[in-house]
Amino acid sequence: MPDLVWLVVAALGAGILNTIAGGGTFLTLPALIFTGIPPVMANATSAVAVFPGYLGGALGFRRELHAFDRGTLLRLVAVTLAGGLAGALLLLVSSNAAFSIAVPFLLLGATLAFLFSDQVRAWAATGRHAITPFGSFGLFAISVYGGYFNGGLGIVMLALFALWGMTEIHAMNGLKNGLAFALSAISVAAFALAGIVAWPQAVTMMLASTAGGYLGAPIARALPKRVVRAVIAAVGFSMSLVFFLRLVI
């Protein structure tokens, strides 16, 4: 029962964080590992737990998605599915020991990406550093990362879109949510077929994260952006430190 309460609280908080700015994985993955789930299974279960949020986001931005050229959008989805599947398969062949070593570095990298996301997008949006619009290579690499870990996925996607030369934030968010949903769908399917999802925990956390996503909207409106960023950064750095210490102690 204490483990269940901890998982519900973590998933509720993750739903709130994802609605406000992202970073829900900083809570769900550590919570699952701390309650005794092996690291690889914990990562797969965490991906399932936050999956409904991507569906809601994609549906919410369907008007922006319809504005994209259909052929371009289908190609981007295909690239995302291929990268997401590759990342998921990479996780499936990772040992718990190897993934445990990678976790603190992945958490730290995702935290830094979140903390400096505005600066990266501003730098990319200048146009002087733009790369081929809607290119496949960068999206495939990010999708492999998303299929393997998922933490901070939306942040790095938005940075890539800025490098593509996109400037309209609603179009960027629409594309981010649509592609993140496709990526999560293929990776979650791979994890489910491989039998590495802890379903009782996953279902419980899915419900809690969905409720947290709903609660996150009024909280986002009430809190100053700098407070939200400070809280998420503190959570990310704290979890990174805890997992670094687990490696050396």
Side-chain angles (χ1 to χ4, degrees), residues 2 68 77 83 100 137 152 161 164 177 183 213 230:
F68 283 91
V77 169
S100 295
F137 179 78
F161 300 162
W164 284 351
N177 281 282
L183 187 156

Side-chain angles (χ1 to χ4, degrees), residues 5-29:
V5 172
W6 172 236
L7 293 177
V8 168
V9 171
L12 187 69
I16 293 173
L17 290 184
N18 282 338
T19 296
I20 294 173
T25 303
F26 298 155
L27 294 176
T28 54
L29 178 61

Side-chain angles (χ1 to χ4, degrees), residues 6 10-19 21-34 39 42-51 54 99 103 106-108 110-111 114 145-155 184 205 209 232 235-240 243:
W6 172 236
L12 187 69
I16 293 173
L17 290 184
N18 282 338
T19 296
T25 303
F26 298 155
L27 294 176
T28 54
L29 178 61
L32 286 160
I33 293 176
F34 292 155
N43 190 54
T45 304
S46 174
V48 175
V50 300
F51 177 60
Y54 290 124
F99 187 73
V103 164
L106 292 169
L107 286 173
L108 180 60
T111 304
F114 170 79
Y145 164 81
Y148 183 78
F149 182 58
N150 198 268
L153 174 63
I155 298 165
S184 296
M205 296 178 80
S209 67
I232 295 175
V235 171
F237 284 129
S238 298
M239 291 299 100
S240 301
F243 279 92

Side-chain angles (χ1 to χ4, degrees), residues 8 17 22 44 50 81 89 139 141 175 209 217 219 222 244:
V8 168
L17 290 184
V50 300
L81 289 172
L89 294 177
L139 180 60
L175 186 60
S209 67
I219 295 175
F244 273 120

